[in-house]
Amino acid sequence: MSNVPSAGSIEHRTPTEGTIKQLYGTAWRCGEPTCKKPLYRLNGDTGEYILNSRIAHIHARSQGGARWDPGMSEAANRDASNLILLCDTHAWEIDQTPQHFTADMLREWKKTQLAEYQTLQRSWSLTDAEVTDVFTASFTTLEDRLLRGICAAAESARQDERRQRQRLLIADTVRAANNWTGALRTATLSSAGDRWNKRAITEWVADNGSAMASDMQLIRSNVRKLRLETRHPDLLEALDAAETAVGSPEVFDPIWRGSTTKGEERSVIYRHLNYVERVFLNLEEIAIKMLADPPPKGTP
C-alpha cells in the first residue's frame, strides 16, 4: 500500500516490475493466515479474473508510514523480502492500525504465504498489463485514482463528441456529393437533345447553379474540417481522392458549349460521374468502419 509522505520526508522508490512478477509468482491468496481470499477473484458474470489484492510494505517506503525503519536501505525496502501480498481489506488494515501488526508478525505471514506456495505450487503469472494494474492499485493514492478516472471520463466524452462531429461531417459531405453528381448527370442527359442551347443552359443554371455551388462549397469546407479532425491515414487518403475527383471542372466543359454534346463526350462525363460516386462511397465506407471501431490509441 502507498504511504503518503509529509513534505521533506524520505520516500523510497516503488518495487520493480520484476519484483512484482516475483511476488505474484510465489503466492496464491492473501498473506493474512486466516484469510482465504485469492489474489485475483473470479467474476461469475464474465468469467474473468479481477485483481483482488495489493502489495503491502512490511516496513513503510515513506518516512512516517507504518513500521518505518530509518536504517533500512532503499534496495532492502523495495526488495520482495519487505513486501507481502494482501487482499484489499488487510492491506488497508495493517497500515491504518499498525499497532496491531508488527513487522515481525508480517514477516511470519510472509513465511507462511511462501510455504503455502511451495506446498500447493499455485500462483499468478502476470502479464505486463497486469503488473501495471497492480502497481496502480498499490502505489497510487485514492485521490489520484479518482482524478485519473475523471480525466479518463472527460477524454472519453471528448472522443465521443469528436466522432459524432466526424459522422455528421461525413454524412453531409456524401449527401452534397450525391446531389452534385445527380445535378450534373441530369445536365449531361439534357445536353444530348437538340433543344440544349445557350438559352437552355442559362435556364438550367438559374434553376440549379446555386444549389450546385452550395454543394461544392460544403464538400470543400467539410473536407478541410475533417482533415483537422483526424490523422487516420485511410480517411485522409479517401478525403484527398474525393477532393481531387470533384476538382476537375474541364470534364464538364462540353455541356456548357451551347451545342449538342457528342456521344463520346457524354460517355467521358458519365464515366467521371460514376468515378466520383465510387470515390465518395469509398469515403463513406472507410468512415463507417473507422467510426464504428474504437480508435487506435493516440489516434483522434
Side-chain angles (χ1 to χ4, degrees):
M1 291 289 286
S2 66
N3 303 112
V4 181
S6 59
S9 65
I10 300 172
E11 181 177 78
H12 296 308
R13 286 178 296 166
T14 54
T16 64
E17 178 180 312
T19 299
I20 294 174
K21 288 185 176 181
Q22 176 188 344
L23 289 168
Y24 278 83
T26 54
W28 173 256
R29 63 181 178 89
C30 174
E32 201 281 336
T34 64
C35 183
K36 304 300 182 182
K37 293 180 181 177
L39 302 180
Y40 277 81
R41 65 178 177 83
L42 181 65
N43 185 320
D45 295 328
T46 65
E48 297 178 339
Y49 281 98
I50 300 172
L51 182 64
N52 194 42
S53 54
R54 302 288 184 269
I55 298 173
H57 280 73
I58 295 174
H59 292 288
R61 72 183 183 94
S62 301
Q63 185 177 2
R67 296 167 301 278
W68 167 255
D69 181 357
M72 176 176 276
S73 67
E74 180 176 79
N77 185 269
R78 64 202 298 244
D79 187 77
S81 60
N82 187 50
L83 306 170
I84 182 171
L85 298 178
L86 301 171
C87 69
D88 296 350
T89 300
H90 286 114
W92 179 87
E93 187 176 14
I94 68 165
D95 283 347
Q96 293 302 310
T97 58
Q99 66 274 20
H100 300 306
F101 303 95
T102 65
D104 288 339
M105 177 188 294
L106 296 181
R107 277 191 283 268
E108 286 300 318
W109 289 9
K110 173 86 174 180
K111 289 180 182 178
T112 301
Q113 190 177 53
L114 290 172
E116 182 181 69
Y117 162 71
Q118 292 293 337
T119 301
L120 300 178
Q121 289 295 302
R122 299 182 71 187
S123 62
W124 302 90
S125 178
L126 301 188
T127 64
D128 290 345
E130 288 168 337
V131 168
T132 299
D133 290 341
V134 170
F135 183 92
T136 300
S138 301
F139 305 115
T140 306
T141 65
L142 176 59
E143 291 81 1
D144 286 341
R145 291 200 295 274
L146 290 173
L147 181 59
R148 288 184 184 182
I150 291 171
C151 291
E155 178 60 24
S156 178
R158 284 193 294 271
Q159 290 285 353
D160 288 344
E161 182 180 349
R162 181 184 291 116
R163 286 153 69 85
Q164 180 60 21
R165 193 162 57 241
Q166 290 173 356
R167 289 188 187 97
L168 293 175
L169 286 170
I170 292 290
D172 287 345
T173 302
V174 173
R175 188 181 304 111
N178 288 337
N179 292 340
W180 185 80
T181 55
L184 279 172
R185 196 179 298 280
T186 300
T188 306
L189 287 169
S190 299
S191 71
D194 295 335
R195 305 173 80 179
W196 188 253
N197 50 37
K198 292 287 186 180
R199 180 177 177 180
I201 293 172
T202 301
E203 291 176 351
W204 190 92
V205 170
D207 291 339
N208 302 279
S210 178
M212 284 190 64
S214 178
D215 286 331
M216 179 56 66
Q217 183 179 6
L218 180 62
I219 291 170
R220 288 173 174 164
S221 174
N222 283 3
V223 167
R224 286 195 298 271
K225 291 177 182 178
L226 284 162
R227 283 202 180 101
L228 295 174
E229 286 280 336
T230 183
R231 294 194 298 272
H232 196 289
D234 291 343
L235 183 57
L236 288 173
E237 184 178 349
L239 289 170
D240 289 341
E243 192 168 39
T244 300
V246 296
S248 304
E250 65 278 1
V251 176
F252 309 106
D253 286 348
I255 299 175
W256 319 121
R257 288 177 186 156
S259 59
T260 303
T261 305
K262 296 178 181 179
E264 58 268 26
E265 293 176 327
R266 290 198 306 278
S267 295
V268 171
I269 295 173
Y270 287 138
R271 284 197 296 271
H272 185 73
L273 290 174
N274 289 338
Y275 169 70
V276 172
E277 289 176 340
R278 288 196 303 273
V279 166
F280 277 88
L281 177 61
N282 181 59
L283 170 64
E284 184 177 40
E285 290 174 346
I286 289 173
I288 288 173
K289 185 178 186 304
M290 185 192 81
L291 297 173
D293 297 333
K297 186 177 181 181
T299 305

